[in-house]
Amino acid sequence: MARLIDHARYSKARRYLVAVGVTALAAGVRLVAVILEPQPPILVLFTGAAGVSAWFGGLGPALLTIALSVFLDFWFFDPHLAFALDRWTDLLDLGIFALVAFAVAWLCESLHAARRLVEDRAHELTLVSANERAWKDRYEAAVRASGHILYDFDRASGRTMFSGACQAILGYSAEDMGSSVDWSVLVHPEDLARYRLSRRPGDGLEVEYRVRHRGGRWITLHDVGQKIVGLDGRVVRVVGFLKDVTAQRQAEALVRASEERLRLAVEATGLGVTATVFGPDRDVRFEWTREARRAFGVPDDVELTVAELLARIHPADVAAVRAAVHASLDPAGDGSDNLEFRVVRPEGAVHWLCCQGRTVFDMNVDPPRPLRNIGIVLDVTERKVIAEQLAESFALIDALVVKAPIGMAFIDHGFRYVRVNEKLAEFNGIPAADHIGRTVAQIVPDLWPTLEPILREGLYEGRDGVNLEVEGRTAAQPERRHWNLSQYPIRAGGKLLGVGVTVIETTAQKRIEASLRDADQRKDTFIAMLAHELRNPLAPIRNALALLGVVRDTPERAASLAVIGRQIEQMAHLLDDLLDVSRITRGRLTLRRESITLDSVMTRAAETANPWIVGRRHDFVVDLPSAPVVLDADPIRLAQVFSNLFTNAAKYTEPGGAIRVTAAVIDGRVQIRVTDNGVGLAAEHLPRVFEMFSQVGPTENRSEGGLGIGLALARGLVEMHGGEITAHSAGLGRGSEFVVDLPLAAADAAREAPASAAVAPPPSGRRIVVADDNVDNADTLAMLLEALGNDVHVVYDGDAAVRACAEFRPDVVFLDIGMPRRDGYEVCRWIRRQAWGAAPVIIAQTGWGQDEDRRRAEAAGFDHHLTKPADPDRLLALLARAGSVRTSAA
């Protein structure tokens, strides 16, 4: 069926009329041309007419024109042909004309059909392209609205296409990201290895890493995608989404910090905190504090299970406990539980416990599923015993009430005193007998407006009131005082007789609370300064690491390494100070005394403080006696005292100042004075300058301000040496002087200093296993050891450490203590039990550095104990000696 072309827009009659008109016009032209010699051939006129008819009207009108043309030419223009049919040449001309005209008509029709077909195809392509653009625009809008970035990485071309919320998340447009921005450069250097690892062949892709925003800040992205692997097993394409989770991670960090503060606060109260987590497969995990475990008599090293806890509950209380637990796990209730029951400790003692908690449900499933139960547990055995004694000895208790150290009274419905003990009478300034029958308003008129609504709730509504704060005056105490008042309805056989009232004066407590608020403020200042001091070294470390990423073997690389070393040393020094203060406070710091000279102590202390002294261009002078001053002291701890004094003097003296150190021997003691011309101290601050967390005077707002523990540590160490430290200042802006007074060593106590150990060559050729669940620490230590020529095997958990040691038979083993699956103690004990286990040198490398931790490590079989961050020089020294130790062991 012929396709419609442009002439189909005209009516059929119009198209045929045009054909007749064109034929008539051609015939007219031929009639006029009769007089011409020679006459124009039929192909010239009627073929053109047929072409016009075909172009305008199509093939049908063209055929009509051809037929009319043949008829007219045959019958009218050559009448002699009508009687001379035997002239076959003329008939042949007519036939040729008809064929040529038909061919022209067919050609015109075909051109129309072809053009129409091309236009239809072009229109269809235009619609498809428009639909694609519309879908793409809608998809782009949806991705942007979701807050995600869509990316498509093609490994063959090395290009990545981005779309979505690029501008909102990264500050770059999608076009910039795809053409001019190197994505790997934006990834944080510390996260680059994890980012690249996620692009290797494997199942799925889900990773988090930090990238730099166009504005310079770091943001955290959650990358979820799919890796497309080619026939050769290599990743050829990666498609995925990026989501900005910076705010979420910051919020999680705040929540963790808040939880830690809450944990410390709860532990300080002595309450046990219970967190019981219910898994989707009906498994239960107990995350209880040490106090909660102790309340049930469960040792710290015993795993908590439901069966273990039920075994601890007194048989008579098991049913009640089960019922309370089931009720708290019922989503139809409020999820709360509050019950008291007995437990039987392993030694046979029976204790009463009070447990209160609430269950949190997952309301997104039907029926709601319990997620966790958070509660507290308190040993109330003593309270129970007292309650039983009260029930058995009411008469005795009634007598004791009279002499109780708190005010007590019984008040009837008319607000009249029925009974009053001596303490309350003392508070009110009126004898106890004079209270009886009189109203509260008459005895304490100044307090009545406050007491009336409280007592009314108890007398008429039967409600308790506990620890209600009351403030005012009485006849005995005209100055303003504070009390804690509790009132409780007293019933007999269901009848409300009145209310019992207890009154505790809290005036002194209020003063203590004010003091505690001041202490809390000092604590907050300390925490803020601690955060400041811990963050400060991180900035140059981060900058130095960034510089190491762009430089190679240049002076800047060496300088960057020096910066990292200094800042790590500063952080380690800060943490050591904190631990030392804690040890001194608990009496657990041990001095390693030896015979030393004061000059050696000053030299070591000056080396420690030298960066501050040189950095601030101070004139530092040390003037010691010409004769050696011998002390019986711990050289490290004593140097720690004076390095703190030197550093403080350097910090709080303006650049270009003067610091002078002098010493004098007086009556078997030596006095060392550290004097500066710095900011000085106000007289009112001198008495508490050695207190913990003390931040006094103008130093509170100085960027160099420390944690307020250095001087407290110095005092503790000096006193442990049998000395004394004092501070003096003429006032603000007039400098300070700190005087340390120490006893000299006895004449027969001098001992030769131990000879310096020979410098061992760099350790190499060892077979070493490094086990640490901190991947970065394990890998960097392994790289250091491999760089020294050792054969190193790295694992990240306790089970893997056991397998590696069994296969590798190492000379040296570095073990972290807190590893998953098996901790370092268990791995060490396993090694020592093997036939070959006596030979390896096993070194503990952990963040736990208390004396008890060292004793546990030694008991488990460790040869050495290093506290993170370990000093690389000490680590290498231990490793250098490992060869000799192994030889002697063999």
Side-chain angles (χ1 to χ4, degrees):
M1 182 175 181
R3 288 178 55 86
L4 295 178
I5 54 176
D6 286 342
H7 52 66
R9 292 178 299 176
Y10 304 105
S11 65
K12 187 173 183 181
R14 185 175 181 183
R15 287 186 279 122
Y16 277 95
L17 285 175
V18 169
V20 172
V22 171
T23 304
L25 179 62
V29 172
R30 176 127 190 222
L31 287 174
V32 174
V34 172
I35 59 175
L36 299 178
E37 287 295 340
Q39 293 181 357
I42 190 171
L43 288 175
V44 175
L45 296 176
F46 290 108
T47 302
V52 171
S53 297
W55 186 259
F56 180 80
L59 186 60
L63 292 177
L64 176 62
T65 298
I66 294 171
L68 291 175
S69 299
V70 170
F71 175 78
L72 292 173
D73 188 73
F74 185 80
W75 293 105
F76 294 100
F77 299 118
D78 292 311
H80 55 281
L81 291 178
F83 304 101
L85 293 177
D86 56 340
R87 296 182 61 181
W88 59 271
T89 56
D90 292 329
L91 294 175
L92 181 61
D93 289 340
L94 286 176
I96 291 172
F97 157 72
L99 290 174
V100 171
F102 181 79
V104 170
W106 184 263
L107 177 62
C108 290
E109 176 73 9
S110 298
L111 288 175
H112 271 299
R115 186 184 69 177
R116 186 62 179 177
L117 182 62
V118 169
E119 290 176 351
D120 289 347
R121 290 291 183 267
H123 182 64
E124 290 174 359
L125 290 176
T126 300
L127 291 177
V128 170
S129 177
N131 287 334
E132 288 180 349
R133 284 195 302 272
W135 273 106
K136 182 178 180 181
D137 291 343
R138 286 194 292 270
Y139 187 72
E140 286 276 354
V143 172
R144 283 195 299 271
S146 70
H148 290 66
I149 297 176
L150 174 66
Y151 67 87
D152 186 350
F153 170 69
D154 182 14
R155 182 178 291 277
S157 65
R159 293 181 61 83
T160 306
M161 295 181 62
F162 291 88
S163 61
C166 298
Q167 189 76 40
I169 295 178
L170 296 172
Y172 296 95
S173 66
E175 292 75 15
D176 290 340
M177 293 293 297
S179 60
S180 60
V181 176
D182 185 354
W183 181 250
S184 63
V185 173
L186 295 181
V187 178
H188 194 286
E190 295 178 2
D191 300 342
L192 192 57
R194 182 165 66 252
Y195 165 76
R196 288 173 174 167
L197 181 63
S198 69
R199 266 54 186 172
R200 294 180 182 177
D203 296 334
L205 186 156
E206 184 169 3
V207 64
E208 284 190 9
Y209 47 86
R210 292 164 290 175
V211 298
R212 188 184 296 279
H213 187 274
R214 190 169 193 170
R217 69 180 187 276
W218 290 104
I219 62 174
T220 302
L221 296 181
H222 186 73
D223 187 349
V224 179
Q226 184 67 41
K227 293 177 280 191
I228 301 173
V229 180
L231 296 177
D232 58 355
R234 299 179 60 190
V235 176
V236 298
R237 189 174 183 184
V238 182
V239 180
F241 284 93
L242 299 174
K243 180 181 179 181
D244 184 359
V245 295
T246 306
Q248 179 181 344
R249 296 297 172 260
Q250 291 173 346
E252 290 172 353
L254 291 175
V255 170
R256 286 194 295 271
S258 176
E259 289 176 347
E260 178 64 14
R261 289 194 296 270
L262 177 60
R263 182 186 67 80
L264 294 174
V266 170
E267 286 183 357
T269 66
L271 292 174
V273 178
T274 62
T276 307
V277 182
F278 305 97
D281 300 326
R282 304 181 67 84
D283 56 320
V284 181
R285 186 173 76 256
F286 297 94
E287 299 175 356
W288 288 17
T289 63
R290 181 176 300 175
E291 289 74 12
R293 296 171 67 98
R294 287 177 178 174
F296 277 81
V298 180
D300 294 343
D301 57 351
V302 174
E303 181 182 0
L304 277 176
T305 63
V306 174
E308 178 71 24
L309 292 176
L310 287 175
R312 305 282 180 176
I313 298 174
H314 193 284
D317 296 339
V318 171
V321 171
R322 285 183 179 274
V325 171
H326 289 161
S328 69
L329 299 180
D330 185 358
D334 61 359
S336 63
D337 57 86
N338 185 350
L339 70 157
E340 294 181 357
F341 54 92
R342 288 163 292 177
V343 296
V344 181
R345 299 275 180 87
E347 68 276 13
V350 177
H351 285 254
W352 278 91
L353 300 183
C354 174
C355 292
Q356 298 181 7
R358 183 173 293 275
T359 302
V360 178
F361 295 90
D362 182 1
M363 306 305 294
N364 295 321
V365 298
D366 189 19
R369 181 179 68 83
L371 294 176
R372 67 185 64 86
N373 179 281
I374 308 297
I376 59 173
V377 58
L378 180 65
D379 189 330
V380 295
T381 305
E382 185 177 357
R383 192 191 74 190
K384 283 289 186 179
V385 171
I386 293 174
E388 292 175 1
Q389 292 174 348
L390 288 174
E392 295 171 358
S393 313
F394 181 82
L396 176 61
I397 293 172
D398 187 53
L400 292 175
V401 165
V402 175
K403 300 294 183 181
I406 62 174
M408 304 181 72
F410 175 71
I411 300 172
D412 65 13
H413 286 280
F415 300 101
R416 292 181 295 269
Y417 287 102
V418 177
R419 281 192 77 174
V420 175
N421 76 341
E422 293 180 3
K423 193 64 177 179
L424 186 61
E426 179 186 334
F427 288 159
N428 295 340
I430 299 174
D434 293 344
H435 283 69
I436 307 305
R438 299 176 65 183
T439 65
V440 176
Q442 292 171 332
I443 299 297
V444 284
D446 188 62
L447 299 178
W448 174 244
T450 303
L451 297 176
E452 191 269 341
I454 297 173
L455 297 175
R456 186 175 296 279
E457 287 184 355
L459 291 170
Y460 296 100
E461 300 177 20
R463 295 200 303 191
D464 294 345
V466 180
N467 291 333
L468 305 173
E469 292 190 359
V470 177
E471 179 182 357
R473 300 176 179 85
T474 66
Q477 299 166 323
E479 72 278 6
R480 203 157 191 83
R481 311 287 285 182
H482 297 270
W483 297 275
N484 243 4
L485 181 145
S486 297
Q487 60 103 19
Y488 44 92
I490 297 177
R491 295 179 173 86
K495 180 181 178 182
L496 183 61
L497 302 179
V499 293
V501 175
T502 60
V503 179
I504 303 174
E505 183 169 0
T506 58
T507 306
Q509 181 181 341
K510 289 293 182 181
R511 295 194 186 102
I512 294 173
E513 288 175 357
S515 247
L516 290 176
R517 281 194 294 272
D518 179 63
D520 188 60
Q521 170 125 24
R522 288 164 59 193
K523 177 208 67 176
D524 291 343
T525 302
F526 162 73
I527 292 174
M529 291 303 300
L530 175 61
H532 175 268
E533 290 296 314
L534 290 176
R535 281 196 299 266
N536 271 347
L538 294 179
I541 289 174
R542 176 177 288 175
N543 296 336
L545 288 174
L547 181 59
L548 288 175
V550 297
V551 300
R552 292 295 179 262
D553 296 331
T554 64
E556 289 83 356
R557 183 179 181 84
S560 298
L561 291 173
V563 167
I564 293 174
R566 286 196 302 272
Q567 298 303 325
I568 290 176
E569 185 66 25
Q570 180 178 339
M571 293 182 70
H573 181 72
L574 174 65
L575 295 175
D576 286 342
D577 279 357
L578 286 169
L579 291 174
D580 288 344
V581 169
S582 173
R583 292 187 185 111
I584 291 174
T585 303
R586 293 178 293 149
R588 294 188 178 181
L589 183 68
T590 304
L591 296 180
R592 295 177 174 85
R593 292 177 180 268
E594 60 184 74
S595 184
I596 59 172
T597 63
L598 180 62
D599 179 67
S600 65
V601 173
M602 294 297 110
T603 300
R604 177 178 291 187
E607 288 176 355
T608 303
N610 192 56
W612 277 101
I613 296 171
V614 174
R616 297 178 71 84
R617 306 184 307 281
H618 293 316
D619 179 19
F620 183 71
V621 177
V622 179
D623 184 9
L624 302 180
S626 56
V629 178
V630 181
L631 304 171
D632 183 30
D634 186 326
I636 294 177
R637 297 305 182 185
L638 208 53
Q640 194 174 2
V641 171
F642 288 103
S643 66
N644 273 331
L645 295 179
F646 295 168
T647 302
N648 276 356
K651 282 183 179 181
Y652 301 125
T653 300
E654 296 298 331
I659 303 173
R660 183 175 179 83
V661 182
T662 61
V665 177
I666 304 172
D667 297 332
R669 301 181 72 86
V670 60
Q671 283 190 353
I672 304 99
R673 298 177 181 272
V674 181
T675 309
D676 63 64
N677 60 350
V679 298
L681 291 166
E684 62 270 21
H685 293 152
L686 284 173
R688 56 189 180 96
V689 71
F690 292 104
E691 292 181 5
M692 182 71 96
F693 312 141
S694 177
Q695 300 279 351
V696 297
T699 61
E700 291 178 343
N701 296 321
R702 295 176 63 89
S703 62
E704 299 87 355
L707 299 178
I709 62 173
L711 291 178
L713 175 61
R715 181 180 65 176
L717 292 174
V718 168
E719 291 176 351
M720 289 182 69
H721 282 84
E724 182 183 7
I725 183 171
T726 56
H728 309 274
S729 177
L732 294 177
R734 303 182 66 180
S736 304
E737 180 181 64
F738 288 83
V739 180
V740 178
D741 183 87
L742 294 169
L744 297 176
D748 59 351
R751 294 185 293 271
E752 293 184 1
S756 299
V759 178
S764 62
R766 310 284 198 277
R767 295 193 307 276
I768 302 175
V769 169
V770 176
D772 195 333
D773 60 340
N774 185 324
V775 177
D776 288 341
N777 187 62
D779 291 347
T780 53
L781 177 58
M783 287 188 282
L784 172 62
L785 298 174
E786 287 175 344
L788 295 173
N790 297 289
D791 187 7
V792 183
H793 192 85
V794 184
V795 294
Y796 307 109
D797 61 70
D799 286 348
V802 168
R803 293 194 298 270
C805 291
E807 298 172 4
F808 200 49
R809 299 292 175 87
D811 301 312
V812 181
V813 182
F814 287 92
L815 291 178
D816 180 33
I817 296 300
M819 292 186 295
R821 298 188 175 91
R822 296 196 193 191
D823 62 21
Y825 298 125
E826 187 176 351
V827 175
C828 181
R829 286 191 288 267
W830 180 89
I831 293 174
R832 294 307 190 200
R833 288 196 300 267
Q834 308 309 306
W836 48 267
V841 175
I842 307 178
I843 302 172
Q845 190 176 14
T846 175
W848 303 101
Q850 300 290 341
D851 292 338
E852 177 62 25
D853 301 317
R854 297 179 187 277
R855 285 193 290 271
R856 287 189 65 190
E858 183 178 357
F862 283 95
D863 295 300
H864 304 286
H865 184 285
L866 299 179
T867 304
K868 296 178 182 178
D871 183 355
D873 293 335
R874 184 183 176 198
L875 186 148
L876 296 180
L878 293 177
L879 191 59
R881 294 202 298 270
S884 61
V885 173
R886 179 177 171 80
T887 301
S888 63

